[in-house]
């Protein structure tokens, strides 16, 4: 039952994320929640909100479809992606109107119905390549 | 009656002509046009004028119930019906087609539609109930069938949504409303509805009957009375009526996991087809592949092939892969321990469990802010605007939240075409499907917020009614009344809660803002019901006495709207006491004015005069000239009632002078009508004519149609008593036309009586008596009685009409008149007066010139037989009949079949 409950919470987070409603998203995160994988350093809730706001500003139509969800009593693993059109400045890269898809996996740790830590593994390099900021590796170009 | 009414004009014309054995030339002669015109009409290259279309309908003996349709087809080009021929008033002969358009296609229901259509068209099937659990698609199925039934019901197909009703007592009134009937006078709604449906071939679709199932026996009574009525009902449960036929809606066919067909075949299975179509609406790239096919099949199976459940699931395919959906949906009923709000919740079927589970699943996926917003929206009944949602449920950005719920099919946008025409450009409206709202409501109650929400809901709708109130007079009246009409269910819900002791004073304020809407729109019984709840003794202590007095007055006015003056009187007397105790002299004056009107209707003229005199004194004292003029007019009327014409005249003269001073031309025109009566009463016809002429001039300039008709009627009376019958007849006709146009039924009764006077004066005793019978029936419907002075004139007419008839024929003619439909009575009044003075007996002599055989043919024609029918009766050929008719027309000097019929009727041949 705990497993199902944890999954339900994660679905709700993705609903809020898909509506770009970060205020609602963070209601599911504990005040001390740690975010790994968004930046070279570990972020806190404020840092997470800033980081995501910048992403959503650059990709105003961003959506985060969910492909797989695996859970145990205190973890939920979500394989998902981000789709969107690059419509304003992102990490110094000017808007180019390119459609991008970024594959990602996130591991959520939960305690007492709150998320306390997240490990994100997203293909940021792939994103930069799709935006044209980093050249494609020869193998995939050919 | 043919159930298959023709859909285009030209072939109809030709076919009818041939059926009657007429040549184009003969038809042209009958209707008085050139032969080439008939040829062009039949070729569809020409449209007839309205008058010619009417002549054709008569000449071709188009059945009465099809005439409106015939005329309508005649006036449109091409072979297509007008898009939405909607009859507006109860008397309107145009068929009613009121079926909401559905926004999405109906998938996998072809067989069900065909089956329901076939059952419904069987002669023995009068009541067909579409039965199934929530979410199975009963409403959409019924809409689809209803939309296909136009050709089979000559008088219309009307869809009546009952989902928002909680009180079975409101079922008949809601049906009456949907048909455009109002609660006229003292005729109960039930009676009006029975009367209306008796003579009509109509299909009524009653959607969501299960929660008002106690009203089912009333349907049986209706069916027994109205022989050509059919009912298509949707309900979760059978109605258990003797006449009931049932159609149980199956779930959509689902795939068999053990024997999955190819991807292409799978996509054709109805449940899968629906899931795919709805998925592609949110995720255009979504398609069935060999990889996801078994998973999609499994989702459809888990959802039992329930269309609504499939739609809720499909709405999520943009964000969740189907395998995630399948996992989420695995036995949802177990996952989210559920309860249903169903009355019979002890025996929930597995299907209902699946449906509830699907809704709960969709709800659980929402994040908390959206979830709170969603359940709060359950406080609305019958839809809401974004503004209302923001004000009542206030949760951040309501645009985003509404959009999110719409995306997930938890909310519906109401199609503009199903709103009142004046509101289609207004802010969009939203609503929840019935079963979804039930779930949301349950969640709201469990959240503990329900009372707070209902308080805010009541306050919001009070503000809306307050905004509307000052606009219920003036140029925007119709629009504001429509706005209130659209929110009627919300007002009802707010009142239920407020009057249950939760917020009596606020509910009282709301009633005080709403009663005028009920008064104008004719919701008399309902308005009285709410007011009686508010006026219960226990509530009095919870309201300021001024408000309570206002509500007493409102209840009195709605009572007298229904002719219930007995009820109105004590209410007004109680209000009067309250205003007197509070020293509110304006309130006292206003109530005295109303009380005077009510007790006058009860026949207590002395008491009424006392009221109006005191009212007049208060208005003078307060220095309110406009109200003083009204009171002067009322006092004058009572003096006329009491037979003191000189006093009446004095008050009216003063009233006229005051209104001249105020520049109140409308008021002047109205009191001039009364002064005309006073002059007419004392046989000063010259003066009466002057006064009514002056009033008529004002009315024409002001555009007050009803009052104009009254002036014309008065002028007709003067012409009649002076012996100028042609002028009198013309004036009465004009007056009738206007009354009919504005729907003034009391005016129509006066006009019918006036024509009766004219007819009686010319020895048309039977017609006069029928007209009087019709007028009497009309007065009974609206609860109208003659004032004593008018009664004097009326009784003279009755005596004149009765003078020429034996008691038995008198009674018979009176009875015949009473059962006439209003339109028939008007037709009778419109026939020219075949008077000795007007026609100098030419026609009577004409009758003598007919041979016995010709008289026989004419008699049969007047019974409504076709040429063929006459031929069969007399054992001759239709050509012979046609030849006879030509001679008859010549001898009588008439040019049409209807003129010949009229002649026959007027000479008692029929």
């Amino acid at each position: 039952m705990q497993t199902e409950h944890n999954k339900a919470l994660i679905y709700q987070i993705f609903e809020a994320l898909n509506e770009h409603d970060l205020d609602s998203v963070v209601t599911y995160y504990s005040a001390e929640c740690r975010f790994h994988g968004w930046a070279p350093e570990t972020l806190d809730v404020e840092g997470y909100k800033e980081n995501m706001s910048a992403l959503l500003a650059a990709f105003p139509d961003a959506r985060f479809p969910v492909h797989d969800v695996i859970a145990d009593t205190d973890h939920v693993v979500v394989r998902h992606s981000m789709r969107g059109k690059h419509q304003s400045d992102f990490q110094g890269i000017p808007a180019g109107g390119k459609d991008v898809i970024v594959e990602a996996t996130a591991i959520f740790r939960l305690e007492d119905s709150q998320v306390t830590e997240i490990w994100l593994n997203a293909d940021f390099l792939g994103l930069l390549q799709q935006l044209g900021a980093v050249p494609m590796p020869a193998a995939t170009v050919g | 009656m043919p159930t298959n009414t023709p859909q285009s004009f030209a072939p109809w014309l030709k076919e009818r002509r041939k059926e009657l054995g007429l040549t184009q030339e003969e038809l042209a002669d009958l209707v008085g046009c050139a032969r080439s015109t008939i040829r062009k009409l039949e070729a569809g290259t020409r449209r007839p004028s309205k008058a010619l279309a009417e002549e054709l309908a008569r000449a071709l003996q188009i059945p009465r119930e099809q005439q409106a349709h015939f005329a309508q087809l005649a006036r449109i080009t091409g072979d297509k019906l007008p898009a939405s021929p909607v009859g507006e008033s109860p008397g309107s002969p145009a068929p009613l087609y009121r079926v909401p358009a559905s926004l999405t296609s109906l998938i996998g229901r072809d067989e069900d539609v065909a089956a329901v259509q076939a059952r419904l068209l069987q002669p023995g099937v009068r009541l067909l109930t579409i039965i199934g659990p929530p979410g199975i698609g009963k409403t959409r199925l019924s809409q689809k069938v209803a939309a296909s039934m136009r050709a089979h019901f000559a008088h219309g197909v009307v869809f009546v949504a009952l989902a928002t009703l909680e009180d079975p007592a409101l079922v008949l009134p809601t049906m009456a409303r949907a048909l455009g009937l109002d609660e006229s006078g003292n005729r109960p709604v039930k009676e009006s509805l029975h009367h209306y449906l008796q003579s009509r071939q109509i299909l009524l679709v009653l959607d969501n009957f299960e929660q008002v199932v106690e009203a089912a026996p009333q349907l049986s009574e209706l069916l027994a009375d109205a022989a050509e009525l059919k009912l298509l009902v949707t309900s979760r449960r059978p109605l258990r009526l003797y006449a009931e036929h049932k159609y149980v809606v199956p779930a959509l066919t689902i795939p068999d996991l053990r024997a999955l067909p190819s991807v292409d075949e799978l996509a054709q299975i109805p449940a899968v087809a629906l899931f795919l179509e709805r998925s592609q609406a949110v995720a255009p790239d979504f398609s069935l592949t060999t990889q996801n096919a078994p998973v999609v099949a499994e989702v459809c199976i888990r959802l039992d092939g329930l269309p609504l459940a499939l739609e809720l699931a499909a709405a999520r395919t943009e964000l969740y892969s189907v395998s995630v959906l399948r996992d989420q949906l695995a036995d949802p009923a177990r996952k989210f321990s559920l309860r249903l709000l169903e009355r019979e919740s002890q025996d929930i079927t597995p299907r209902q469990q699946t449906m509830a589970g699907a809704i709960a699943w969709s709800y659980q996926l929402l994040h908390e802010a959206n979830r709170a917003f969603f359940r709060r929206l359950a406080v609305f009944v019958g839809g809401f605007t974004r503004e209302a949602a923001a004000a009542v449920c206030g949760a951040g950005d309501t645009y985003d939240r509404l959009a999110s719920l719409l995306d997930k099919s938890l909310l519906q946008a109401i199609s503009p075409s199903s709103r009142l025409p004046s509101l289609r450009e207004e802010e969009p409206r939203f609503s929840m499907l019935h079963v979804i709202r039930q779930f949301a409501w349950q969640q709201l109650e469990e959240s503990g917020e329900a009372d707070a929400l209902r308080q805010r809901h009541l306050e919001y709708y009070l503000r809306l009614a307050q905004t509307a109130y000052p606009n219920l007079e003036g140029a925007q009246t119709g629009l504001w009344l429509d706005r209130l009409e659209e929110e009627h269910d919300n007002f009802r819900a707010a009142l239920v809660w407020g009057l249950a002791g939760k917020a009596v004073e606020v509910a009282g304020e709301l009633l005080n803002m709403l009663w005028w809407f009920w008064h104008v729109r004719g919701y008399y019984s309902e308005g009285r019901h709410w007011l009686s709840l508010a006026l219960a003794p226990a509530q009095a202590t919870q309201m300021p006495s001024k408000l309570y007095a206002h509500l007493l007055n409102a209840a009195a006015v709605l009572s007298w709207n229904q002719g219930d003056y007995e009820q109105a009187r004590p209410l007004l007397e109680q209000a009067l006491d309250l205003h007197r105790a509070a020293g509110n002299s304006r309130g006292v004056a206003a109530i005295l004015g109303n009380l005077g009107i009510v007790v006058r209707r009860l026949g207590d003229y002395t008491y009424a005069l006392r009221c109006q005199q005191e009212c007049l004194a208060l208005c003078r004292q307060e220095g309110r000239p406009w109200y003083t003029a009204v009171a002067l007019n009322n006092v004058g009327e009572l003096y006329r009632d009491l037979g003191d014409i000189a006093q009446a005249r004095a008050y009216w003269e003063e009233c006229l002078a005051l209104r001249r001073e105020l520049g109140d031309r409308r008021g002047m025109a109205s009191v001039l009508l009364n002064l005309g009566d006073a002059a007419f009463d004392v046989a000063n016809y010259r003066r009466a004519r002057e006064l009514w002429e002056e009033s008529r001039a004002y009315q024409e300039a002001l555009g007050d149609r009803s009052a104009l008709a009254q002036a014309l009627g008065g002028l007709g009376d003067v012409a009649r008593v002076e012996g100028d019958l042609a002028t009198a007849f013309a004036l009465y006709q004009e007056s009738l036309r206007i009354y009919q146009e504005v729907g003034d039924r009391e005016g129509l009764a006066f006009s019918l009586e006036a024509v009766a006077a004219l007819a009686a004066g010319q020895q048309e005793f039977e017609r006069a008596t029928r007209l009087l019978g019709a007028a009497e029936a009309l007065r009974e419907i609206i609860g109208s009685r003659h004032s004593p002075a008018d009664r004097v004139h009326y009784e003279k007419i009755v005596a004149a009409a009765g003078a020429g008839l034996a008691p038995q024929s008198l009674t018979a003619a009176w009875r015949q008149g009473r059962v006439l439909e209003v339109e028939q009575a008007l037709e009778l009044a419109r026939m020219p007066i075949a008077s000795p003075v007007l026609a100098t007996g030419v026609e009577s002599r004409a009758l003598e010139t007919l041979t016995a055989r010709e008289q026989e043919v004419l008699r049969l024609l007047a019974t409504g037989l076709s040429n063929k029918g006459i031929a069969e009766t007399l054992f001759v050929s239709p050509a012979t009949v046609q030849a006879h008719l030509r001679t008859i027309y010549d001898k009588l000097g008439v040019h049409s079949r209807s003129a010949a019929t009229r002649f026959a009727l007027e000479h008692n041949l029929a």
Side-chain angles (χ1 to χ4, degrees):
Chain A
M1 212 51 220
Q2 188 58 42
T3 319
E4 292 303 327
H5 179 68
N6 288 345
K7 277 194 195 173
L9 291 177
I10 299 305
Y11 291 133
Q12 289 164 18
I13 292 172
F14 272 85
E15 295 267 340
L17 184 58
N18 273 295
E19 285 167 20
H20 298 196
D21 183 352
L22 293 176
D23 287 334
S24 287
V25 170
V26 299
T27 59
Y28 292 88
Y29 298 158
S30 76
E32 294 76 34
C33 185
R34 317 283 296 157
F35 300 80
H36 311 281
W38 274 264
E41 71 281 12
T42 298
L43 301 179
D44 60 5
V45 173
E46 272 316 301
Y48 163 81
K49 274 181 81 172
E50 271 172 37
N51 185 295
M52 287 302 288
S53 299
L55 180 76
L56 297 176
F59 299 90
D61 64 343
R63 303 287 262 172
F64 302 84
V66 175
H67 308 303
D68 270 312
V69 180
I70 302 158
D72 66 19
T73 47
D74 46 14
H75 291 91
V76 180
V77 181
V78 182
R79 184 170 71 79
H80 64 283
S81 48
M82 185 198 91
R83 283 190 277 110
K85 191 187 278 293
H86 184 204
Q87 293 179 54
S88 77
D89 201 85
F90 178 67
Q91 295 189 354
I93 309 163
K98 293 207 167 87
D99 289 315
V100 302
I101 297 183
V102 183
E103 299 298 338
T105 302
I107 304 171
F108 295 77
R109 188 159 70 80
L110 295 103
E111 265 173 58
D112 299 331
S113 297
Q114 286 226 297
V115 177
T116 53
E117 199 157 14
I118 312 176
W119 293 268
L120 174 70
N121 193 344
D123 182 11
F124 284 120
L125 179 59
L127 172 59
L128 295 178
Q129 285 170 341
Q130 292 175 65
L131 294 178
V134 175
M136 291 283 183
T140 50
V141 171
Chain B
M1 178 188 305
T3 49
N4 221 332
T5 306
Q7 295 300 314
S8 56
F9 183 74
W12 191 353
L13 187 65
K14 191 167 177 180
E15 208 174 300
R16 264 315 272 168
R17 178 176 61 76
K18 292 200 161 165
E19 275 175 40
L20 295 174
L22 294 170
T23 63
Q24 285 185 342
E25 203 169 353
E26 284 165 341
L27 180 59
D29 280 351
L30 281 175
V31 299
C33 72
R35 195 196 141 207
S36 62
T37 306
I38 300 292
R39 204 180 54 233
K40 285 176 190 159
L41 289 173
E42 290 189 351
T45 56
R46 192 186 154 158
R47 279 189 297 156
S49 68
K50 196 162 175 264
L52 180 57
E54 280 169 14
E55 276 302 316
L56 285 167
R58 269 190 227 112
L60 294 173
Q61 301 166 28
I62 301 298
R64 193 184 165 67
E65 64 278 0
Q66 291 184 1
Q67 278 176 16
H69 187 56
F70 183 90
Q72 205 170 42
L73 285 177
R75 291 205 304 279
I76 57 169
T77 40
D79 282 348
K80 277 174 107 181
L81 272 171
S84 57
V86 172
E88 291 303 335
S89 69
S92 157
L96 286 173
Y97 288 109
R98 293 181 177 167
V99 180
S102 82
L103 292 172
T104 48
S105 55
L106 192 61
I107 290 179
R109 288 296 188 203
D110 291 350
E111 281 174 32
D112 300 289
V113 170
V116 174
Q117 283 169 335
R119 294 282 294 278
L120 199 56
L121 290 175
Q122 280 169 24
V125 176
R126 306 280 315 284
L127 163 63
L128 180 59
T129 311
I130 295 181
I131 296 169
I136 197 98
K138 300 182 289 296
T139 300
R140 286 191 191 183
L141 177 59
S142 72
Q143 285 176 348
K144 178 88 178 178
V145 171
S148 72
M149 283 290 146
R150 287 167 70 126
H152 299 281
F153 291 85
H155 297 104
V157 179
V158 176
F159 186 91
V160 189
L162 302 174
T164 58
L165 286 195
E166 279 162 15
D167 185 352
L170 286 177
V171 171
L172 291 189
T174 306
M175 288 164 70
R177 286 271 152 193
L179 291 165
L181 304 175
D182 60 3
E183 296 174 36
S184 42
N186 50 3
R187 188 182 214 178
V189 173
K190 182 176 167 184
E191 215 175 280
S192 313
L193 191 61
H194 278 238
H195 179 79
Y196 180 88
L197 290 172
Q198 252 164 21
S199 53
R200 285 175 168 82
Q201 193 189 34
I202 278 190
L203 173 65
L204 282 180
V205 184
L206 307 177
D207 187 40
N208 269 102
F209 206 83
E210 66 273 354
Q211 75 244 301
V212 286
V213 75
E214 292 90 336
Q218 296 173 341
L219 300 187
S220 291
E221 291 173 32
L222 256 186
L223 288 168
D225 263 14
E228 296 196 76
L229 169 70
K230 288 201 180 198
L231 298 175
L232 181 63
V233 176
T234 74
S235 173
R236 293 179 192 172
R237 290 175 288 285
L239 273 47
R240 302 191 201 293
L241 296 178
Y242 180 69
E244 183 177 33
H245 292 253
K246 301 179 201 105
Y247 184 81
V248 177
V249 187
L252 294 179
T253 309
I254 50 178
D256 182 351
L257 267 191
R258 288 161 306 178
L260 273 188
S262 72
V263 168
D264 285 346
E265 282 173 80
L266 184 65
Q268 303 301 315
I269 295 177
V272 180
L274 177 63
F275 183 84
L276 285 177
E277 201 225 45
R278 295 291 186 272
S279 295
Q280 283 158 359
V282 293
D285 297 339
F286 187 85
S287 64
L288 209 54
T289 62
T290 41
Q291 268 177 335
N292 70 11
V295 189
V296 169
E298 209 178 321
V299 167
C300 294
I301 293 164
R302 290 234 158 107
L303 295 174
D304 281 346
L306 280 165
L308 180 57
L310 289 164
E311 278 179 42
L312 289 174
R316 303 286 186 158
T317 44
E318 191 199 357
L319 293 186
Y320 299 108
S321 66
V322 279
S323 57
V324 171
L325 282 183
R326 175 189 53 186
D327 176 52
Q328 290 172 346
L329 285 166
D331 199 0
R334 182 182 54 80
K335 258 189 207 168
F336 312 105
S337 61
L338 297 170
R339 256 191 315 105
L340 275 189
L341 269 182
E342 285 278 337
R343 265 180 255 176
E344 79 283 38
S345 56
Q346 59 275 16
D347 54 9
I348 304 174
T349 64
R351 285 243 170 82
Q352 277 169 290
Q353 224 161 346
T354 306
M355 189 62 246
I359 298 171
W361 158 77
S362 189
Y363 173 72
Q364 294 287 343
L365 287 179
L366 299 174
H367 61 82
E368 176 49 32
N370 274 357
R371 232 181 300 158
F373 185 61
F374 167 76
R375 63 181 176 247
R376 287 173 185 172
L377 290 175
V379 78
F380 295 105
V381 186
F384 55 88
T385 60
R386 188 206 59 84
E387 186 200 290
V392 178
C393 308
D397 186 340
T398 40
Y399 287 102
D400 276 357
R401 303 223 184 284
L402 288 170
S404 170
L405 296 176
L406 284 167
D407 279 349
K408 295 169 177 84
S409 287
L410 288 169
L411 208 58
Q412 318 277 310
I414 293 177
S415 134
S417 68
S418 58
R419 298 176 71 178
L420 294 167
S422 65
L423 304 179
R424 287 180 189 159
E425 308 279 304
E426 303 242 309
E427 226 199 313
R429 264 178 101 71
F430 309 95
S431 71
M432 284 180 188
L433 287 178
H434 189 47
V435 58
I436 291 179
R437 184 176 172 269
Q438 283 184 318
F439 175 85
W441 179 253
Q442 180 196 335
Q443 297 301 317
L444 180 62
E445 290 212 305
E446 282 178 6
S447 74
E449 278 189 332
D451 268 347
L453 260 291
R454 295 197 78 168
Q455 176 83 34
R456 297 224 294 267
H457 178 263
L458 169 61
E459 284 163 2
Y460 174 80
Y461 285 102
L462 171 60
R463 285 199 299 279
L464 182 71
Q466 283 167 334
T467 312
Y469 195 75
N471 290 300
L472 297 183
E473 267 175 9
Q476 301 275 293
T477 307
L479 175 64
W480 280 94
L481 288 169
D482 282 350
R483 287 181 178 153
L484 295 178
E485 185 96 53
E486 188 165 57
E487 299 293 3
H488 208 167
D489 283 326
N490 278 312
F491 288 126
R492 290 175 174 130
L495 288 170
V496 166
W497 184 80
L499 292 172
K502 304 282 189 173
V504 174
E505 188 181 341
V506 187
E509 294 285 357
L510 178 55
L511 285 169
N512 196 29
M513 294 289 110
L514 273 185
W515 76 272
W516 187 254
F517 157 71
W518 288 324
H519 167 66
V520 179
R521 282 279 159 101
Y523 287 97
Y524 308 131
S525 309
E526 184 172 356
R528 288 173 76 182
H529 166 72
W530 292 117
L531 284 160
S532 73
L533 294 179
L535 293 170
Q539 312 277 41
T541 54
Q542 300 187 51
M543 261 183 256
S545 80
K546 192 171 170 183
L547 174 60
Y548 194 79
H550 285 321
L551 298 186
L552 286 165
N553 181 55
V557 174
L558 293 177
S559 302
W560 107 43
N561 284 152
Q562 292 191 297
D564 194 348
Y565 303 106
E566 314 270 352
Q567 275 284 332
R569 176 177 170 163
L571 292 166
L572 288 169
E573 287 170 338
Q574 201 187 339
L576 191 58
D577 289 345
L578 288 173
H579 282 311
R580 281 198 207 277
N584 173 7
S585 68
R586 285 192 176 196
V588 170
I591 300 292
L592 280 169
N594 284 346
L595 185 57
I597 293 170
V598 164
V599 292
R600 178 182 181 221
R601 290 288 192 155
L602 286 168
D604 191 342
Y605 303 106
T606 327
Y607 181 20
L609 180 60
R610 231 172 34 240
C611 292
Q612 298 295 5
Q613 290 278 27
E614 192 189 342
C615 174
L616 174 61
L618 281 170
C619 291
R620 285 195 209 269
Q621 193 182 314
E622 293 257 324
R624 303 166 84 200
W626 197 88
Y627 290 94
T628 303
V630 174
L632 283 166
N633 185 51
N634 290 345
V635 171
E637 278 180 355
L638 286 157
Y639 275 115
R640 180 173 180 240
D641 292 336
L642 291 163
D644 190 342
I645 305 295
Q647 277 283 16
R649 227 187 81 189
Y651 278 93
W652 285 335
E653 294 285 4
E654 189 187 343
C655 173
L656 180 63
L658 181 55
R659 282 178 170 167
R660 255 190 232 287
E661 210 175 291
L662 292 169
D664 174 7
R665 295 196 302 156
R666 197 172 289 271
M668 283 163 63
S670 143
V671 75
L672 281 166
L673 288 174
N674 286 339
L675 280 165
D677 284 335
F680 193 87
D681 286 344
V682 296
N684 189 348
Y685 302 126
R686 197 184 46 77
R687 179 75 185 131
R689 172 180 289 134
E690 279 171 20
L691 290 158
W692 280 330
E693 283 289 3
E694 190 184 351
S695 180
R696 172 196 191 165
Y698 280 122
Q699 312 288 15
E700 277 173 349
L702 291 165
D704 187 338
R705 311 284 293 152
S706 248
L708 174 61
Q710 210 180 323
L712 294 172
L715 289 167
D717 289 342
V718 173
R720 174 167 57 84
V721 296
E722 290 183 345
D724 182 357
L725 302 187
T727 303
F729 185 73
L731 284 165
Y732 289 154
Q733 293 303 316
E734 181 59 8
S735 176
L736 267 176
R737 199 182 57 72
I738 297 172
Y739 281 135
Q740 193 189 11
E741 189 182 294
V742 300
D744 181 337
R745 289 181 286 184
E746 186 167 40
L748 281 179
F750 271 115
S751 285
L752 293 176
E753 288 158 5
V755 177
L758 202 55
Q762 302 310 311
Q763 275 96 54
E764 287 195 52
F765 301 113
E766 196 171 318
R767 177 170 163 203
T769 309
R770 281 196 206 174
L771 287 169
L772 289 171
E776 184 187 67
L778 197 56
R779 283 186 186 275
E780 279 175 13
I781 290 174
I782 56 175
S784 142
R785 267 176 274 185
H786 292 96
S787 73
D790 290 336
R791 183 127 212 118
V792 174
H793 298 297
Y794 173 70
E795 273 163 7
K796 278 188 204 152
I797 304 172
V798 174
L805 294 175
Q808 229 176 352
S809 351
L810 178 70
T811 318
W814 194 281
R815 207 180 305 127
Q816 285 163 3
R818 285 187 55 97
V819 298
L820 289 180
E821 292 271 355
V822 175
E823 296 123 70
Q824 292 172 312
L826 294 179
E827 220 165 275
L828 186 64
R830 281 194 208 104
M831 287 186 186
I833 300 284
S835 74
V837 180
L838 288 179
T840 60
V842 171
E843 291 175 357
S844 305
R845 280 202 300 279
L847 181 61
E848 296 160 22
T849 67
L850 298 186
T851 64
R853 189 57 152 189
E854 284 162 356
Q855 288 200 17
E856 181 70 357
V857 171
L858 182 57
R859 190 184 62 76
L860 292 170
L861 174 134
T863 62
L865 279 182
S866 66
N867 286 9
K868 208 170 147 218
I870 298 173
E872 277 164 14
T873 312
L874 298 177
F875 301 102
V876 297
S877 76
T880 309
V881 172
Q882 188 56 39
H884 280 309
L885 282 177
R886 229 168 285 150
T887 318
I888 293 168
Y889 289 6
D890 280 343
K891 285 183 179 175
L892 300 183
V894 300
H895 304 287
S896 71
R897 198 175 187 92
S898 62
T901 304
R902 191 179 299 157
F903 181 93
L905 292 172
E906 282 163 2
H907 293 83
N908 295 321
L909 257 187

